[in-house]
Amino acid sequence: MGERELRLLEELDRIKKGGPSRGHEKQRAAGKLFVRERLSLFFDNGEILTETGRFARCWDLELPADGVVTGTGRINGRIVFFAANDFTVKAGSIGRYHGEKLIRTQEAAIRARRPILYLVDSSGARIDEAGGYHVDKHSAGKLFYLHSIMSGAVPQIGVLYGTCFAGTAYTPVFCDLLVMMRNSAMAIASPRMVEMVTGQKVTPEELGGADMHAKKSGSAHFIAESEEDAAAIVKRILSYLPDNCDSLPPQAPARDPARDPAEIDDIIPRDSNQPYDVHKLIEAIVDADSFLEVKAHYAPELVTGFARLNGRVIGIVANQPLIKGGALFPESSDKGAEFVWLCDAYNIPLLYLVDTPGFMVGTAVEQNGILRRGRKFIFATSCATVTRVCVVVRKAYGAGIYAMSGPAYDPDVTLALPSAEIAVMGPEAAINAIYYNQIQSIQDPEERERFVARLREEYRAGYDIFKLAGEMVVDDLIPPRDLRKELVRYFEVFSEKRVELPHRKHATII
């Protein structure tokens, strides 16, 4: 081996070891893996395929690779780009070349038309470096510009390790899907900065912990209990996503559902006000063990997630009668809109399971933007050009069915079960709205109850699902046990669907 080659190999070995021993000690004390050990959890055979920018800032022995590992790897045979902060190098902080490596990796992912994985473990910008590298046209500030340009072109998946504040907290929220480690946190400013500016004393967990972002802000899609768990979640996410917006999601062998479809009629109560768990209905429709719920902890009155139907990837949007009666709130409107938009971007057909009394009413939801945020859900559904199948399971009252891809919103087919009820509002609300004064004028309680009961039956007769099927409000009324079989057929029928929306630069609703 020649002297030049030997020197190069020695330098590569030094770089692969990461930062100084004190950095490794801190990482171990925090219960976190060294970045290269972490990467080995994601890639086939634990191997990086290609690595770029290895010699960044090679003259500084304290900053090998300038604190970030970038390149490509294979996940279940598919090539994925990655950028992973090395916390052993100055706490993973972003310096000039660190930022440039991130940007070059994003640009490469755009050119190659492949997904990109961000493993975020950084203390933020390296503020002790002079210069304007964070706002320079070709430096770290461009990171978020490229996140925006990439959005919907190639999948962006993030995993957050440790506490990340300010600039590094933006990358996670720009990702299409974010996994947060249980003990991680992110916020626009650190607790120390918050106290200095507002006087509020707060812990990282209170300010931006995984539970907070999963349950309250809705910024986290998944919570991982270990680094191994995080890698497993990412692999599963990728199994539903295509390489880019012009590709189709990967197929898989078909599997029977975990629950017999013959149980569907028993799952749905006869009383339209009795709650039930929509997860049971989903289990009787999709391939066994294929449902991956997205944002399971946020706005649980709406269930969203990926699944497979006879091996084909679909996205599911389902009202959850077990939580708040399945009513739509501002938070669930945002959740539904974002999930529909994600599926439409990556050619994932959508199945809507409708069982909702509609959008929630009252001062609290109005002050929280129910109209503005509700329109986002309706907008996303209206503009989604992927195959859309609407199933009216039970209640479909008011504008709830608008957001849930009802007949007026141009689904490819609207199916109904015999338990379905489609009306402008529920019977009690309708009767009180129309006959309130007349009801109150009846003094005898028994006579009043008979009158209300008659009105209720008359109103129900108006939205009898057999009558509505006869009027072609829905395309077909099917036996519950046949629901899975019919869905398999319809998603196959419309698998080559192509729709062109009217020409425009873009909509004004976002």
Side-chain angles (χ1 to χ4, degrees), residues 280-292:
K280 294 181 179 179
L281 175 59
I282 293 170
E283 288 174 0
I285 294 173
V286 304
D287 295 8
D289 303 320
S290 73
F291 184 57
L292 177 63

Side-chain angles (χ1 to χ4, degrees), residues 68 70 81-85 94 98-99 101-110 114-122 137 139-160 166-178 186 341-342 345-346:
V68 63
T70 56
F81 282 79
F82 72 86
N85 305 114
I94 302 176
H98 183 130
K101 287 176 68 173
L102 294 173
I103 290 165
R104 289 190 186 190
T105 305
Q106 289 178 306
E107 291 172 337
I110 293 172
R114 296 194 185 274
I116 184 168
L117 172 65
Y118 304 91
L119 304 186
V120 185
D121 195 2
S122 171
K137 186 176 179 66
S139 292
K142 196 172 183 179
L143 178 65
F144 312 120
Y145 167 80
L146 288 172
H147 275 305
S148 303
I149 298 304
M150 296 169 77
S151 179
V154 297
Q156 301 182 78
I157 301 171
V159 183
L160 183 63
T168 47
Y170 281 105
T171 282
V173 297
F174 266 106
C175 290
D176 296 317
L177 294 155
L178 172 63
M186 62 178 181
W341 215 228
L342 174 68
Y346 296 120

Side-chain angles (χ1 to χ4, degrees), residues 424-441 448-449 451-457 459:
V424 69
M425 62 180 68
E428 302 303 326
I431 291 167
N432 274 282
I434 301 170
Y435 299 103
Y436 178 80
N437 290 333
Q438 192 173 348
I439 291 170
Q440 295 304 310
S441 68
R448 182 190 302 168
E449 179 54 37
F451 180 65
V452 169
R454 179 170 60 81
L455 293 175
R456 191 184 296 119
E457 288 305 311
Y459 185 77

Side-chain angles (χ1 to χ4, degrees), residues 42-44 73-80 117 231 234-235 238:
F42 290 85
F43 301 134
D44 298 353
R74 293 186 190 274
I75 297 180
N76 294 324
R78 295 171 62 189
I79 295 175
V80 175
L117 172 65
V234 168
K235 291 176 183 180
L238 273 171

